[in-house]
Amino acid sequence: MTDPIRILMCAPDHYDVDYVINPWMEGNIHKSSRDRAVEQWQKLYEVIKGCAIVDLVAPAKGWPDMVFTANAGLVLGKNVVLSRFFHKERQGEEPYFKAWFAENGFTVYELPKDLPFEGAGDALFDREGRWLWAGYGFRSELDSHPYIAEWLDTEVVSLRLIDERFYHLDTCFCPLTGGYLLYYPPAFDAYSNRVIEMRIPPEKRIVVAEPDAVKFACNAVNIHQTIIMNQVSQDLKNRLQAVGFEVIETPLSEFLKAGGAAKCLTLRVTEPILETVHANVPIESRVVHMEGHLLDAGLLNQALDTIVENSGSFRVLNFNLGVERNSVSSAEVRVSAPSHDIMEGIMTQLIELGAVPPPQELCDINTEVVTQAGVAPDDFYVSTIYPTEVRVNCEWMRVENQRMDAAIVVGQTVTGPTATCKLLRDLQVGDRVMVGVEGIRTIKKVESHEAGRKENKEFAFMASGVSSERRVELLVEQVAWEIRKIRDQGGKIVVTAGPVVIHTGGAQHLSHLIREGYVHALLGGNAIAVHDMEQAVMGTSLGVDMQRGIPVRGGHRHHLKVINTIRRYGGIRPAVEAGFIRKGVMYECIKNQVPYCLAGSIRDDGPLPDTEMDLIQAQGRYAELIQGADMILMLSSMLHSIGVGNMTPAGVKMVCVDINPAVVTKLSDRGSVESIGVVTDVGLFLSLLVQQLNHLTQPYSQEQVLV
């Protein structure tokens, strides 16, 4: 014979909506009918009393929400974890509930005062006793879950709430007898929904639609095969009855005004202990250190948002604000995550923001040896565009050949240790590859406010994102100043261009830039060279007369005839030297000794002898030509621009010109965050750029400042 079920309730003698601590309370202050609330509570009491033994805790004046006993604590056997309320409006309830538990023979466990946990409102046992579902995100902290697991010796499964209307787990989640689950999936993040689906088979999951959810259908009391709730649609009622449950509806409208219903008004104090279930919680916590302009640059907010958006939780342990205008701030933040995989994902993103473990916790990195050429260990760290350092021999070492989407290989030479980014295909057996996220940091440039303002004045649009509505002329003027500065200071400008440059009449303008020393390397594909030389020789591009803008008879053959002739000469350089090519982009590259790389593709005609059809060789050559670049102009070539963006380290200015804003969006998605997109015709852009450069008759000097 099983022990009778006991449920704790509290009469609504002092109940009212006196304040706002959840969305349901807004607009309902003092609008709840005391008489109707007493009547509704009494009906619920009678219904539950017919199914279980009801114990009562005396209401205390001044604490109107004490009626919601679900938040008194969490009980298992004769142990209880007392609630630590998040809002001060409810914190005064704690001693009354503590006294009741003590008087009734429970061992009371109390969390640290600054660690919120709101009892059975945010912690619900699987009705088979297999584990404890525990919510976090609004009222309870993830860091409370390890305490609960230890004190109650139970497995805790953490779920993150993301809809403020469902601020407690029991408002959107109700475990039922027989392993069934009544829940509202949109109240949880994607990770939590995956966890739920892994634990509960499809035939046991009863999904609640929003109309039922907002009437708190999930805030139900389940006693054996009986479900007691506020109100339910006929459809949901039919589904529950179909799997063997009896549904009892009892109106609780007055309590909904405070954000509660049947479950909120009750606390089950006879939760059985299963001998086979023991403490197990996969929660992982780490402490990270951040330093820089954490507030004015928004780094701290970005870090905290990153933690929360990725199912984690945080606590700022220390924060030291820089006291001078140009001083940096520092912070130590404890990060918690519901699993190791989630923690690794969070840490990877925090590293990109400059976060590192405290120095005293860190000496050397974790590495694993490559056992198969071209294959990294499973948990290898994936590099980013940002300057990176790794911890070797208890000292930070800068990673060479920085680029995104590579592995970091740590080695030893006669001059000392080394760390280098290597593509997967370049890994060799015996290489020591960085794994995990410990012992690695990215370096963010810390600038003074004055330096930042000066830089912004000179190249302010670099943080502007995709710009189609702003005047193109203004952007061109700024680009012109910047490339003039780079050229006059001996810097390097790389151009990535597609055939649209030729089709839109931009060939003469790009040729001018090369001739005047504004281009120090050209990256593209087979097509830009083919159509550039087609125009130079035949006056057409894709068979269209570039002067009249109309197709010419037989023009579709022109580019193939040019390819054939270039192949006869043996390449572009011999064709230029022989006088066959006398103008154009490729002509200027040859004449001005500007290196170029044409990367082939499956769609190429010919191809030209100069086109590198080995993709790996082409990528390598691209990477060589990008090294040392101060700016990259990306001109209407999405494929090549994305490839270049992926292999370009942070700090290189990138200007992407395309008629399609999706090109810049794709660059941003791949981490090429230091790029500006100008949505316009590339031929027009180049024409305006040349005009503006012609207006700049004096070499750039440091004293010149844009107005």
Side-chain angles (χ1 to χ4, degrees):
M1 183 177 178
T2 59
D3 293 334
I5 294 174
R6 305 185 74 95
I7 289 179
L8 179 66
M9 297 182 70
C10 180
D13 296 3
H14 307 295
Y15 168 70
D16 196 0
V17 181
D18 283 352
Y19 40 74
V20 175
I21 58 174
N22 67 55
W24 306 97
M25 289 179 159
E26 293 180 6
N28 283 318
I29 291 182
H30 304 312
K31 290 185 178 180
S32 177
S33 166
R34 177 69 58 81
D35 293 340
R36 191 176 301 114
V38 170
E39 178 186 350
Q40 291 180 351
W41 183 90
Q42 191 65 38
K43 287 183 179 179
L44 176 65
Y45 171 80
E46 294 296 338
V47 171
I48 294 176
K49 194 173 179 181
C51 306
I53 297 172
V54 178
D55 295 319
L56 295 175
V57 58
K61 190 174 183 179
W63 307 107
D65 279 351
M66 197 169 166
V67 69
F68 298 117
T69 54
N71 306 124
L74 176 65
V75 175
L76 182 61
K78 296 303 291 183
N79 297 317
V80 59
V81 180
L82 191 69
S83 287
R84 288 292 191 194
F85 286 99
F86 180 81
H87 291 289
K88 67 180 186 302
E89 288 85 350
R90 297 200 64 183
Q91 290 169 359
E93 301 172 28
E94 293 173 14
Y96 297 101
F97 288 128
K98 179 181 178 180
W100 187 91
F101 287 124
E103 290 168 3
N104 285 271
F106 290 92
T107 299
V108 179
Y109 292 94
E110 296 183 74
L111 290 157
K113 289 186 178 296
D114 57 354
L115 186 57
F117 167 67
E118 301 208 346
D122 264 334
L124 303 168
F125 282 101
D126 168 67
R127 290 272 48 93
E128 304 301 300
R130 296 169 294 182
W131 52 75
L132 174 71
W133 301 102
Y136 68 99
F138 294 111
R139 298 292 189 83
S140 298
E141 284 291 338
L142 182 62
D143 286 338
S144 66
H145 296 180
Y147 288 94
I148 297 167
E150 179 183 354
W151 290 337
L152 301 185
D153 193 24
T154 191
E155 179 182 3
V156 175
V157 180
S158 303
L159 304 174
R160 178 174 169 247
L161 300 166
I162 60 172
D163 188 330
E164 64 178 355
R165 296 174 301 172
F166 306 102
Y167 57 93
H168 277 148
L169 182 63
D170 67 0
T171 62
C172 53
F173 191 91
C174 183
L176 301 174
T177 300
Y180 287 94
L181 174 64
L182 182 70
Y183 78 121
Y184 179 58
F188 303 92
D189 68 4
Y191 170 78
S192 299
N193 273 303
R194 288 197 302 272
V195 170
I196 293 168
E197 291 166 3
M198 290 172 62
R199 296 265 176 164
I200 308 297
E203 66 274 10
K204 297 279 188 175
R205 299 197 296 265
I206 303 172
V207 174
V208 173
E210 186 173 18
D212 277 321
V214 296
K215 292 178 181 177
F216 277 29
C218 295
N219 196 243
V221 178
N222 174 218
I223 303 173
H224 302 308
Q225 297 303 121
T226 301
I227 301 176
I228 306 164
M229 57 177 60
N230 166 57
Q231 188 178 354
V232 63
S233 67
Q234 190 60 49
D235 173 70
L236 181 56
K237 188 174 184 178
N238 291 341
R239 286 193 284 145
L240 290 169
Q241 290 174 339
V243 292
F245 290 103
E246 176 192 7
V247 177
I248 299 177
E249 297 178 71
T250 182
L252 295 166
S253 58
E254 295 309 303
F255 298 100
L256 259 66
K257 295 174 182 178
K263 170 61 177 62
C264 288
L265 293 164
T266 64
L267 174 66
R268 189 163 175 156
V269 294
T270 50
E271 293 286 2
I273 297 176
L274 294 185
E275 297 297 332
T276 57
V277 176
H278 297 287
N280 178 27
V281 58
I283 293 170
E284 195 169 307
S285 295
R286 300 184 190 178
V287 175
V288 297
H289 177 83
M290 298 188 70
E291 187 171 297
H293 293 299
L294 301 183
L295 297 183
D296 49 5
L299 290 177
L300 186 59
N301 281 344
Q302 289 181 55
L304 301 184
D305 287 344
T306 294
I307 294 167
V308 173
E309 289 168 2
N310 288 275
S311 301
S313 181
F314 67 84
R315 182 181 180 190
V316 179
L317 302 177
N318 293 298
F319 180 76
N320 296 311
L321 180 64
V323 294
E324 299 293 338
R325 187 175 186 180
N326 295 326
S327 299
V328 298
S329 302
S330 63
E332 279 195 344
V333 181
R334 185 175 67 210
V335 183
S336 298
S339 72
H340 176 73
D341 289 343
I342 293 294
M343 177 61 81
E344 292 289 292
I346 291 173
M347 289 301 299
T348 297
Q349 295 183 60
L350 291 182
I351 285 172
E352 295 179 13
L353 295 173
V356 294
Q360 66 272 17
E361 296 182 9
L362 187 63
C363 188
D364 282 2
I365 61 172
N366 299 316
T367 60
E368 290 185 15
V369 176
V370 173
T371 58
Q372 179 181 346
V375 180
D378 286 340
D379 197 25
F380 78 99
Y381 175 79
V382 180
S383 63
T384 70
I385 62 174
Y386 300 110
T388 303
E389 292 183 349
V390 295
R391 195 80 165 169
V392 180
N393 298 334
C394 298
E395 294 184 356
W396 290 106
M397 168 176 292
R398 178 63 66 94
V399 176
E400 301 297 327
N401 193 31
Q402 188 66 50
R403 60 159 296 157
M404 71 181 297
D405 296 341
I408 297 177
V409 175
V410 178
Q412 185 71 37
T413 66
V414 292
T415 59
T418 61
T420 308
C421 282
K422 272 192 178 184
L423 296 174
L424 293 182
R425 64 171 179 258
D426 296 329
L427 294 177
Q428 299 296 319
V429 174
D431 282 345
R432 290 173 55 211
V433 172
M434 166 87 183
V435 295
V437 293
E438 300 289 349
I440 187 165
R441 70 182 184 185
T442 57
I443 307 302
K444 299 286 187 176
K445 182 170 65 173
V446 177
E447 298 176 325
S448 69
H449 294 283
E450 294 300 324
R453 274 198 291 272
K454 182 177 181 181
E455 177 68 16
N456 286 340
K457 192 175 279 189
E458 293 176 351
F459 205 48
F461 70 90
M462 285 306 295
S464 301
V466 182
S467 182
S468 56
E469 296 180 359
R470 298 176 60 193
R471 290 178 56 218
V472 172
E473 292 88 347
L474 175 61
L475 294 174
V476 170
E477 180 182 358
Q478 292 173 306
V479 173
W481 273 105
E482 187 67 17
I483 66 174
R484 169 60 72 91
K485 177 183 73 172
I486 292 172
R487 187 197 69 171
D488 291 353
Q489 293 181 345
K492 181 176 181 179
I493 300 168
V494 177
V495 171
T496 303
V500 177
V501 170
I502 313 302
H503 304 332
T504 56
Q508 60 178 318
H509 307 304
L510 181 54
S511 298
H512 175 86
L513 294 177
I514 297 171
R515 188 164 53 249
E516 295 300 316
Y518 291 109
V519 179
H520 306 98
L522 176 68
L523 309 176
N526 187 70
I528 185 173
V530 168
H531 296 296
D532 168 65
M533 293 184 290
E534 176 193 349
Q535 180 183 347
V537 174
M538 298 185 168
T540 62
S541 178
L542 271 181
V544 175
D545 189 304
M546 296 303 294
Q547 296 296 322
R548 296 181 297 163
I550 60 174
V552 301
R553 188 184 182 100
H556 64 283
R557 305 187 188 96
H558 286 184
H559 72 288
L560 290 172
K561 291 183 177 179
V562 169
I563 292 172
N564 192 55
T565 303
I566 298 299
R567 290 177 68 87
R568 181 178 295 115
Y569 277 108
I572 297 174
R573 178 175 293 278
V576 170
E577 292 172 347
F580 177 68
I581 304 298
R582 299 183 179 183
K583 63 178 181 178
V585 173
M586 302 313 298
Y587 172 85
E588 295 296 346
C589 284
I590 298 297
K591 287 297 185 180
N592 293 280
Q593 299 182 3
V594 173
Y596 61 87
C597 178
L598 307 177
S601 72
I602 195 171
R603 67 176 184 269
D604 288 339
D605 290 325
L608 294 169
D610 302 68
T611 300
E612 179 57 74
M613 297 305 292
D614 185 321
L615 177 62
I616 294 177
Q617 293 295 327
Q619 284 185 341
R621 181 60 176 154
Y622 265 39
E624 289 177 13
L625 294 177
I626 288 170
Q627 285 185 358
D630 298 289
M631 176 187 280
I632 299 177
L633 288 177
M634 299 175 170
L635 307 176
S636 290
S637 177
M638 181 171 69
L639 178 67
H640 297 100
S641 293
I642 290 173
V644 168
N646 285 356
M647 61 181 71
T648 302
V652 179
K653 297 179 175 70
M654 292 194 286
V655 180
C656 182
V657 184
D658 202 285
I659 202 67
N660 183 359
V663 174
V664 178
T665 300
K666 287 181 178 294
L667 279 170
S668 298
D669 288 345
R670 285 160 173 77
S672 307
V673 295
E674 297 182 88
S675 63
I676 172 66
V678 184
V679 181
T680 188
D681 177 273
V682 68
L684 172 63
F685 174 85
L686 287 170
S687 173
L688 293 172
L689 181 60
V690 169
Q691 290 178 35
Q692 186 61 40
L693 286 169
N694 289 338
H695 293 157
L696 303 178
T697 57
Q698 298 180 353
Y700 175 90
S701 66
Q702 292 287 357
E703 289 72 26
Q704 287 176 305
V705 178
L706 289 179
V707 180

